Amino acid sequence: MSTLVSSSLASPLSLLQIETQFGDRIWRGDALGSSPDQVVSSGFNELDKALPGGGWSTHSLTELLLPAEGLGEIRLLNQSLKYVTQSGRNILLINPPHIPYMNAWENLHIDSRRILTVRACKPAERLWVIEQGIKSGAFGAVICWLSDANPQAMRKLQIIARTTASLVFLFRPVSAQFEPSAAPLRILLSPARRHTLSIRLLKRRGTPVVLPIYITLPQIRPFSSPVIPIPILAPA
Amino acid sequence: MLWIALHCPTLSLDWIERRFPAALIPAMAATVRKGNQVYIQQANKPAQQRGVMAHQPLASALSLFPDLVVVENDPNEEMKALQEAAYAALRFTPHISMQRSGLIAEVSGSLKLFGGLKKLCQSLNQAAAAQGLQLCVGIAPTSKGAWLLAQSAPLRAVINGASTRFRLLLDSLPIHLLESAQPHLEVIRGIGCKTLADLQRLPRSGIARRFGPDLPTELDRAYGDSPDPQLWLEVPEYFQQKIALMAQVESVELLSVTVQRMIEQMCGWLSVRYAAVLGFSFVLHHEYSLRQPHKSTLLNIRLSEQSDNPEHLMILLRERLDRIKIVAPICGLELIADEITAEGNHNLELFPTSQSEATSLNRFIEKLSCRLGPQAIAGLNIIPDHRPECSQRLQPFQPLEASKANNFSCRKTILEGSSHPLTRPAWLMDTPLELRMQRQQPIYGSPLKLLAGPERIEAGWWDDALITRDYFIAENELGQLLWIYREHDPIAKSNGWYLQGLFG
C-alpha cells in the first residue's frame, strides 16, 4: 500500500499509461459501450452500429416504446427472431395485443412451431410469467407487452435477465418514457414515412444519441394485382 | 462397508407430533404400562415446562397439568413413522435396515455421488429429520457399531467412528446399549463391567455360558469380528401413502410441511424403483358428517415429462393447492403415484443443451398451466385454409424435437406452395372490427388511405362459413398499416369496411 502511494506521489500516471496498463478494464464514457454478452444482430446495419456490442444484447432487458401496434415492430425484430428459431430455440410471447397470424410470421422465416403464447390478465401474473420464462432458460427470446410496470419490477426483471442468455423485449406504451427504468437499452419507436421506422435511443450504454436513426423496413409485398382505383371511396 | 445409523430417541412422541401442524402442537406425553401402573415415558417441551417428567406416574403428571394430552405407547405407529423416514432416506442409498427406534443405512456406494461422507451424512440426516424425527447419528464401519454409536450420541449430534478411532470409541461405550445384555444388566454391573472394553476382556466361553450366546455374538458384530447379515427394507410395488392429521386444518399453508414430507417419501420410493412419476393424485380427506357431505377433494396432477425431483413436484402441487377452495376442514392427506415410467438416463449436464432446454421448457409449461390454467398457454397450428379466421388453431404447445426440426426446409415449401408467399399481417383481430365511416371513407384513428388491393378471398362454401371479401392494405396518419376488407356481395351491396389485421 505504502509503495503504491509513494510511487503515485512521485510521478502520477499519465492517461496514456493508465490506459495501456488497465486496457479493457476501463470504459470511457464518451465511447460506445461494448457488451460483454453475446449479441444478436438486428439485421439493420445503421441500428447495429448504434447498439452497444453491435446488436440486441442477451442477458439484459430491451425496452421498446411503441405508440401503437402495426408500425412494423415485428419486422424490426424479424432478423433476430428468425435467428432464434433457426438456431433451434423457442420464442415466448406474453400477452400479445392481438392474435399473431402465423402465416405472416412464417413469411418472415420465423418457425411458427417454436412460438408459444401465454395470456396472463393480471399485471402481477404477467410479471411472474416473464420471470419464469427468463429463468427457465428454455427460450431464445421472451417478448412481453407490458402496459404498466413499476421501477422495482423492472429492476427485478433486469436482475433475472442477467442470468440467462435470452433476448428479452418489453413492448411498452410511449408514456413509459418518462418513468425511470432499469432496462439498459430503451428505444422509442415511431413511424417516419411509409416502411420507415424512426428509432430514438433514449438510453443505452455509452454516449447518448440525440438524432433518431431511420431504418427502412422490408417492404410488404403488394398484392399481385396492381392497386385499382376504388370507385366507392371517391366522394359521391 | 460404511454405515450411517440414525437413532430416534424420542420416537414415541415424534410419531404423533409430526401429525400436527407445527403451530398447533399441544403439551403431550407418551405413557408406558409397567405392571398395573402407568408411567410417563417421554414428555415434549411444552409438557416439560409444566413440570411433567419421564418416569413420573401418570396420576402425578395429570395432577401437575390436567390438560396434558396422553398418548399410549404404540409400536405400530412408531414403526410407520420410521418407515416413512426410511422412504425419504432411500434417495441416498437403496440399502436401509430398520431398527426398533431408528434406521441403519449402508452408504459406501453413495459416497461419490453425494459429495463425500460429510455431505452425504448431512443430507441423509436432513432428509430423515425433515420427516419430523429428532435424530442422533453414528457412523462406523460395522452396522452394529454405527447403531451403538448413534444410541450413545446426544440428541442431534453426530459421532463419526469411520476412522482408526472406531475401536477406541466402541470400547468406551456403556454396556446397557447392547440389546442382548438387557436382561442381565444387574449382574454385569455387579461383576464390575461398565464399558464394552470391560466385557471384551472377560473370557468368551464364560460370557456365553452365563449370559447366553447372543451377547458375545452381538459384541463381535459390533467390532466387525463376525459377519452381520442384514434384512433390507423392501418397498411395495405401488406407492400410496396416507396420513391422518391430528388437527382439523383449514389452511393449505399449515399443510405444506406434511405435503413436502409425502413428496419426499414418494421420491425416495421412486429412486429405489429407478422410476419417475408421470402423474400423481393428491387427496384431501375431510371430516365426513351428515351436515358436511364432502368426503374428499381429489387433485390429479399430470406431468408433461416424467420427473423424480421433489422440488419440481412440490412446486406443481403447491400451485394447485393454492388455487383450490377448501370446502371443509381437512383431517387426512393421501398421495398416490398413479403413473410410473422407467426413468430415462438423465445425465447431469455441464452446459445447457437442446435436451435440457426441452426439459426446462416442459417444466415451464407445467408450472404455468398449474397457476394460470392450461388454456392460458398455447401454440398456434397452421391450417391450410385461405380464410384468416380458419387458418390457424390454438393447441397445446408441443415442444419441437431436434429430429423434426430438420425438415424445416421441406415443410416451408409445402406451406408456401409453388407460388410466392401471400401478403399477410402479423396481427389478427379477435373478430373483425367494423370501421366507422366518414364521408364514405373508413376511419381508424384517422381517415385511411388505400395502398394496395384488392385481393379477393372467397372460400368456405363447403362448411357454411362462406366468406367473399376484398382485402386492401391501408395506412392511417399514425403510420399503422392495416389489413381491411369489404364484403364482396353483388346482391346485398353492403358498404361496410372491416379491420382484420395489422402489419406488425
Side-chain angles (χ1 to χ4, degrees):
Chain A
M1 191 61 202
S2 60
T3 55
L4 184 72
V5 171
S6 61
S7 69
S8 65
L9 279 178
S11 59
L13 294 172
S14 70
L15 188 61
L16 197 72
Q17 276 173 317
I18 291 173
E19 279 191 336
T20 49
Q21 195 172 339
F22 296 102
D24 53 350
R25 278 179 288 168
I26 291 183
W27 167 62
R28 295 179 61 142
D30 58 346
L32 177 57
S34 65
S35 171
D37 308 313
Q38 198 198 344
V39 294
V40 178
S41 164
S42 69
F44 302 97
N45 278 334
E46 310 88 322
L47 184 57
D48 279 351
K49 270 182 222 156
L51 293 175
W56 302 121
S57 117
T58 58
H59 293 278
S60 71
L61 297 184
T62 303
E63 222 178 286
L64 301 167
L65 310 179
L66 193 66
E69 282 77 39
L71 298 178
E73 67 276 12
I74 302 302
R75 277 176 290 161
L76 174 68
L77 302 182
N78 181 3
Q79 290 299 323
S80 42
L81 296 187
K82 178 180 158 188
Y83 169 80
V84 165
T85 57
Q86 281 180 356
S87 55
R89 307 191 67 191
N90 301 298
I91 298 175
L92 175 67
L93 304 181
I94 304 165
N95 263 37
H98 307 288
I99 304 166
Y101 194 2
M102 286 306 162
N103 282 311
W105 293 61
E106 288 278 354
N107 290 346
L108 298 173
H109 307 285
I110 302 167
D111 189 348
S112 67
R113 295 169 302 171
R114 292 202 173 275
I115 297 178
L116 180 64
T117 59
V118 173
R119 291 225 168 259
C121 308
K122 293 180 201 147
E125 279 178 349
R126 213 170 299 159
L127 290 170
W128 180 78
V129 175
I130 305 174
E131 274 173 34
Q132 296 298 327
I134 299 172
K135 269 190 202 161
S136 74
F139 299 98
V142 177
I143 308 176
C144 180
W145 281 261
L146 201 63
S147 46
D148 42 357
N150 56 19
Q152 286 90 337
M154 294 296 291
R155 183 167 300 280
K156 191 173 170 199
L157 286 181
Q158 167 64 15
I159 291 168
I160 295 169
R162 298 262 357 128
T163 58
T164 46
S166 314
L167 293 167
V168 185
F169 295 109
L170 302 175
F171 280 107
R172 303 190 61 196
V174 177
S175 57
Q177 65 178 303
F178 304 111
E179 294 170 14
S181 162
L185 183 61
R186 305 187 79 195
I187 293 178
L188 178 67
L189 305 177
S190 50
R193 294 177 301 279
R194 193 174 304 158
H195 301 304
T196 307
L197 202 58
S198 129
I199 294 181
R200 264 188 62 205
L201 296 164
L202 298 176
K203 176 183 172 188
R204 68 167 178 181
R205 289 207 176 101
T207 42
V209 207
V210 186
L211 292 175
I213 303 162
Y214 294 99
I215 58 163
T216 313
L217 297 168
Q219 297 259 335
I220 287 177
R221 187 199 294 265
F223 301 126
S224 47
S225 60
V227 192
I228 54 160
I230 305 131
I232 304 248
L233 272 188
Chain B
M1 303 282 261
L2 189 61
W3 304 79
I4 297 181
L6 306 172
H7 175 238
C8 180
T10 56
L11 187 60
S12 52
L13 272 177
D14 281 350
W15 74 266
I16 186 123
E17 274 192 2
R18 63 197 285 278
R19 293 200 188 167
F20 281 99
L24 304 179
I25 296 176
M28 280 192 302
T31 58
V32 68
R33 183 172 288 274
K34 277 183 195 157
N36 57 357
Q37 271 266 40
V38 179
Y39 287 95
I40 303 286
Q41 191 186 18
Q42 258 163 8
N44 68 357
K45 269 260 168 60
Q48 280 172 13
Q49 281 163 4
R50 306 276 182 164
V52 179
M53 281 183 298
H55 312 300
Q56 241 171 6
L58 178 60
S60 31
L62 283 177
S63 64
L64 278 170
F65 182 50
D67 290 339
L68 185 72
V69 176
V70 179
V71 187
E72 213 169 314
N73 195 4
D74 189 340
N76 272 339
E77 289 294 343
E78 285 175 13
M79 208 57 208
K80 220 180 132 214
L82 264 187
Q83 204 170 25
E84 286 170 11
Y87 271 31
L90 282 172
R91 263 174 63 207
F92 302 100
T93 169
H95 298 127
I96 288 185
S97 101
M98 308 282 296
Q99 303 292 318
R100 196 127 47 89
S101 59
L103 317 168
I104 308 177
E106 203 284 306
V107 295
S108 56
S110 318
L111 287 178
K112 196 158 187 184
L113 180 60
F114 293 98
L117 178 61
K118 199 172 166 197
K119 272 196 182 155
L120 173 61
C121 177
Q122 258 173 12
S123 6
L124 188 65
N125 194 2
Q126 269 166 13
Q131 295 291 320
L133 301 182
Q134 305 190 55
L135 298 167
C136 337
V137 184
I139 308 171
T142 65
S143 73
K144 195 78 211 174
W147 181 239
L148 292 177
L149 287 176
Q151 279 180 297
S152 72
L155 203 57
R156 292 189 207 93
V158 180
I159 294 187
N160 186 352
S163 53
T164 44
R165 295 187 307 135
F166 170 57
R167 275 179 176 267
L168 285 176
L169 278 171
L170 220 50
D171 278 346
S172 63
L173 292 183
I175 300 275
H176 70 84
L177 297 177
L178 289 175
E179 212 174 318
S180 46
Q182 293 304 324
H184 316 290
L185 278 182
E186 288 286 314
V187 183
I188 295 176
R189 206 171 292 144
I191 59 174
C193 280
K194 288 198 189 86
T195 62
L196 296 196
D198 295 340
L199 204 60
Q200 279 281 63
R201 252 179 257 124
L202 296 178
R204 281 302 154 104
S205 53
I207 296 178
R209 208 169 49 240
R210 264 172 203 273
F211 309 120
D214 288 351
L215 188 55
T217 318
E218 196 180 350
L219 212 53
D220 284 343
R221 285 181 174 172
Y223 282 92
D225 297 332
S226 77
D228 189 2
Q230 299 288 328
L231 200 63
W232 302 122
L233 172 73
E234 283 183 24
V235 296
E237 199 73 11
Y238 303 100
F239 183 87
Q240 180 168 19
Q241 200 72 271
K242 195 172 173 180
I243 287 187
L245 297 172
M246 300 305 284
Q248 304 255 323
V249 181
E250 291 191 56
S251 127
V252 173
E253 265 156 53
L254 288 177
L255 294 175
S256 70
V257 175
T258 317
V259 174
Q260 176 88 45
R261 283 178 190 157
M262 296 175 92
I263 293 277
E264 296 271 355
Q265 289 162 24
M266 182 166 77
C267 291
W269 176 83
L270 284 172
S271 66
V272 161
R273 303 212 70 90
Y274 200 62
V277 71
L278 254 181
F280 61 96
S281 324
F282 191 72
V283 190
L284 306 169
H285 291 282
H286 304 299
E287 188 95 19
Y288 176 69
S289 71
L290 281 178
R291 245 185 294 161
Q292 196 285 109
H294 294 284
K295 268 190 181 156
S296 61
T297 311
L298 174 71
L299 300 178
N300 274 318
I301 291 163
R302 280 206 54 84
L303 285 80
S304 59
E305 195 185 47
Q306 68 214 50
S307 169
D308 62 346
N309 181 352
E311 283 100 49
H312 177 56
L313 298 178
M314 190 62 202
I315 286 172
L316 294 183
L317 188 51
R318 192 177 294 146
E319 290 292 351
R320 278 292 290 276
L321 280 172
D322 285 344
R323 279 202 307 151
I324 59 160
K325 193 174 161 286
I326 294 179
V327 289
I330 300 159
C331 64
L333 302 173
E334 192 171 356
L335 181 67
I336 306 155
D338 294 320
E339 213 171 316
I340 303 297
T341 54
E343 188 182 19
N345 50 340
H346 64 165
N347 292 324
L348 302 171
E349 284 156 345
L350 184 57
F351 298 110
T353 59
S354 58
Q355 178 66 40
S356 64
E357 205 160 273
T359 313
S360 53
L361 179 61
N362 284 328
R363 298 242 158 117
F364 171 76
I365 293 173
E366 274 164 18
K367 218 188 271 180
L368 249 68
S369 45
C370 271
R371 170 142 171 186
L372 305 175
Q375 72 285 350
I377 183 161
L380 285 159
N381 195 13
I382 296 182
I383 296 165
D385 196 314
H386 281 289
R387 290 168 291 177
E389 293 92 342
C390 309
S391 63
Q392 56 187 8
R393 189 169 45 204
L394 283 172
Q395 58 161 34
F397 185 74
Q398 294 291 334
L400 211 54
E401 284 156 29
S403 56
K404 279 197 208 150
N406 291 339
N407 55 21
F408 181 69
S409 52
C410 80
R411 182 173 151 273
K412 277 307 303 178
T413 51
I414 295 166
L415 277 176
E416 285 167 11
S418 52
S419 63
H420 57 79
L422 296 162
T423 310
R424 292 289 175 264
W427 300 118
L428 276 187
M429 299 290 158
D430 289 337
T431 50
L433 183 74
E434 186 168 3
L435 295 176
R436 272 191 308 121
M437 300 292 285
Q438 198 178 54
R439 283 198 236 131
Q440 292 197 318
Q441 259 195 318
I443 293 179
Y444 184 73
S446 58
L448 299 183
K449 198 162 82 186
L450 295 190
L451 299 182
E455 180 196 6
R456 178 159 301 167
I457 297 181
E458 189 164 347
W461 48 264
W462 53 86
D463 60 1
D464 290 338
L466 174 73
I467 63 165
T468 52
R469 295 170 180 172
D470 286 337
Y471 278 90
F472 296 86
I473 300 176
E475 188 187 28
N476 66 2
E477 275 169 17
L478 188 61
Q480 287 176 295
L481 283 180
L482 301 94
W483 201 43
I484 58 175
Y485 72 83
R486 196 167 44 154
E487 295 282 353
H488 167 79
D489 196 345
I491 307 154
K493 263 206 162 321
S494 65
N495 283 344
W497 286 88
Y498 293 87
L499 174 65
Q500 178 95 58
L502 291 165
F503 288 89

